[in-house]
């Protein structure tokens, strides 16, 4: 249990007790479920690729029991240097379909802190996924309060350069929205800067929540645009992008493009090499936006 004078209010309210069960993901999740039913709030830290071993336990020992457990999924999405077995490409399709489970995807260090504190204080059975990646530069949008089901909107006016005024930017036609998981924000913001520089327009909607998801809140943003590009660091089949694309189709919004992992395993490589191979690099994102309008 943590003690001392330098603790935050959060740390004093939720003191730490650490258990290391080794390479035993199934046991770790079941153990956490038992601790939760005993009145604790366990935090389970597992690689995305290895949580696959504990799908049964998440269903039977966590979500059916409505146990207050927070699962931190490290190395979600493209994983550099660790090879074919370590790619975190299946967690969204695996867990988005499970009842009583909340799933969050974070973008930065501050965003992770806020979402973690929300998960401990207000969540129930929660998964928080994040990539093997250096954190991006913090922006004020990442500090907004966590609201269940809602995402984070980032205007491309944040990426203005000195020779473009905000009026000139807003006056541009063919406005697009890039909808992304938090782990792809680095590539998306890089693509957005290039789009603005090349006379385009693309705002960003970060999917802070994968589940539950506030569709009407999402639609309040989506309907303002002429095209939408989805960018997801997960397999396309069964992912959140496919689901939202189907939702848009029911609203007769068809000018969309999904960039996500293919239906195949990903081999060894750097993050940039993996994303380029999977065609979800920053350059691919930029091209997808312009191709929505056949202008580049």
């Amino acid at each position: 249990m943590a003690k001392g004078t330098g603790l935050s209010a959060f740390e004093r309210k939720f003191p730490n007790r650490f258990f290391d069960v080794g390479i035993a993901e199934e046991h770790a999740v079941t153990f956490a479920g038992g601790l939760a039913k005993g009145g604790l709030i366990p935090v389970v830290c597992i690689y995305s690729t290895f949580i696959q071993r504990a799908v049964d336990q998440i269903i039977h020992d966590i979500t059916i029991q409505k146990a207050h457990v927070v699962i931190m999924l490290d190395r979600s999405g493209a994983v550099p240097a660790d090879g074919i077995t370590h790619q975190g490409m299946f967690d969204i399709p695996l867990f988005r379909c499970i009842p009583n489970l909340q799933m969050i995807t974070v973008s930065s260090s501050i965003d992770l802190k806020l979402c973690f504190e929300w998960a401990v204080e207000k969540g129930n059975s929660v998964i928080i996924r994040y990539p093997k990646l250096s954190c991006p530069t913090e922006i004020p949008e990442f500090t907004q309060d966590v609201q269940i089901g809602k995402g984070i909107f980032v205007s491309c006016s944040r990426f203005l350069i000195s020779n473009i005024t905000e009026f000139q930017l807003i006056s541009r036609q063919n406005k697009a929205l890039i909808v992304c998981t938090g782990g792809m924000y680095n590539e998306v913001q890089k693509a957005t800067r290039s789009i603005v520089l090349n006379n385009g327009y693309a705002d960003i909607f970060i999917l802070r929540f994968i589940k539950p998801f506030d569709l009407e809140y999402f639609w309040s943003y989506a309907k303002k645009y002429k095209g939408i590009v989805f960018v997801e660091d997960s397999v396309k089949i069964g992912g959140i992008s496919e689901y939202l694309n189907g939702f848009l189709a029911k609203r007769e919004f068809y000018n969309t493009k999904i960039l996500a992992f293919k239906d195949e395993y990903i081999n060894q490589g750097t993050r940039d090499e993996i994303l380029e191979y999977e065609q979800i690099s920053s350059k691919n994102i930029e091209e997808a936006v312009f191709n929505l309008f056949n202008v580049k």
Side-chain angles (χ1 to χ4, degrees):
M1 181 178 295
K3 296 183 181 295
T5 59
L7 299 178
S8 68
F10 181 84
E11 290 171 320
R12 289 194 297 272
K13 185 176 179 182
F14 300 102
N16 298 321
R17 306 171 188 176
F18 296 99
F19 301 94
D20 185 349
V21 301
I23 305 175
E25 291 81 3
E26 302 95 320
H27 170 59
V29 172
T30 299
F31 183 32
L35 292 175
K37 300 310 284 186
L40 299 178
I41 304 175
V43 178
V44 183
C45 303
I46 298 178
Y47 285 10
S48 171
T49 189
F50 296 130
I51 199 66
Q52 295 158 188
R53 298 172 175 172
V55 173
D56 177 76
Q57 286 72 23
I58 287 176
I59 293 173
H60 287 91
D61 302 315
I62 304 296
T63 56
I64 288 178
Q65 310 301 328
K66 298 182 180 179
H68 190 176
V69 175
V70 180
I71 299 175
M72 307 297 291
L73 285 195
D74 187 10
R75 287 162 168 76
S76 291
V79 180
D82 288 338
I84 193 170
T85 60
H86 280 57
Q87 304 303 327
M89 56 193 292
F90 300 119
D91 52 65
I92 291 177
L94 280 174
F95 300 117
R96 199 175 64 80
C97 62
I98 297 176
N100 301 334
L101 185 63
Q102 299 162 325
M103 193 170 193
I104 296 172
T105 171
V106 298
S107 308
S108 74
S109 176
I110 290 175
D111 189 23
L112 175 58
K113 179 178 183 294
L114 291 174
C115 289
F116 175 73
E117 292 181 355
W118 177 89
V120 172
E121 294 180 322
K122 300 179 181 179
N124 193 32
S125 305
V126 187
I127 286 177
I128 301 178
R129 72 187 305 269
Y130 52 94
K132 182 183 179 182
L133 179 68
S134 297
C135 290
T137 301
E138 299 291 352
I139 57 176
E141 288 85 345
F142 293 153
T143 67
Q144 69 184 52
D145 292 340
V146 179
Q147 300 180 62
I148 192 163
K150 293 180 169 59
I152 298 173
F153 177 78
V154 182
S155 170
C156 68
S157 62
R158 175 162 295 285
F159 307 109
L160 279 173
I161 56 177
S162 57
N163 62 334
I164 302 174
T165 68
E166 187 162 1
F167 176 78
Q168 290 172 324
L169 181 63
I170 294 174
S171 299
R172 291 177 179 177
Q173 303 299 310
N174 297 329
K175 293 180 173 63
L177 182 66
I178 303 175
V179 180
C180 68
T181 48
M184 289 303 298
Y185 173 76
N186 263 349
E187 287 72 27
V188 168
Q189 61 90 16
K190 182 179 179 181
T192 301
R193 292 177 189 275
S194 185
I195 290 166
V196 170
L197 184 62
N198 287 286
N199 300 313
Y201 186 105
D203 292 327
I204 303 170
F205 187 93
I206 305 170
L207 300 169
R208 193 182 232 173
F209 273 85
I210 299 296
K211 186 181 181 180
F213 193 88
D214 190 329
L215 287 170
E216 292 306 317
Y217 180 80
F218 170 68
W219 177 243
S220 71
Y221 284 98
K223 65 184 179 182
K224 300 175 184 177
Y225 297 86
K226 291 186 176 180
I228 294 178
V229 172
F230 294 97
V231 184
E232 181 174 353
D233 54 347
S234 172
V235 289
K236 178 180 177 180
I237 298 173
I240 184 67
S241 299
E242 271 199 340
Y243 171 68
L244 294 178
N245 199 48
F247 166 77
L248 292 176
K250 291 179 181 178
R251 300 292 177 104
E252 298 186 348
F253 190 116
Y254 300 108
N255 193 22
T256 62
K257 175 70 174 179
I258 298 175
L259 303 182
F261 292 160
K262 305 168 189 173
D263 185 22
E264 61 186 21
Y265 293 108
I266 301 171
N267 283 308
Q268 174 80 358
T270 65
R271 179 179 173 87
D272 287 344
E273 288 170 341
I274 291 169
L275 295 182
E276 184 176 353
Y277 176 77
E278 293 295 313
Q279 297 182 321
I280 56 175
S281 68
S282 59
K283 186 63 176 177
N284 295 130
I285 298 166
E286 180 183 357
E287 290 174 352
V289 168
F290 283 118
N291 287 340
L292 285 174
F293 312 111
N294 298 314
V295 296
K296 190 169 181 176

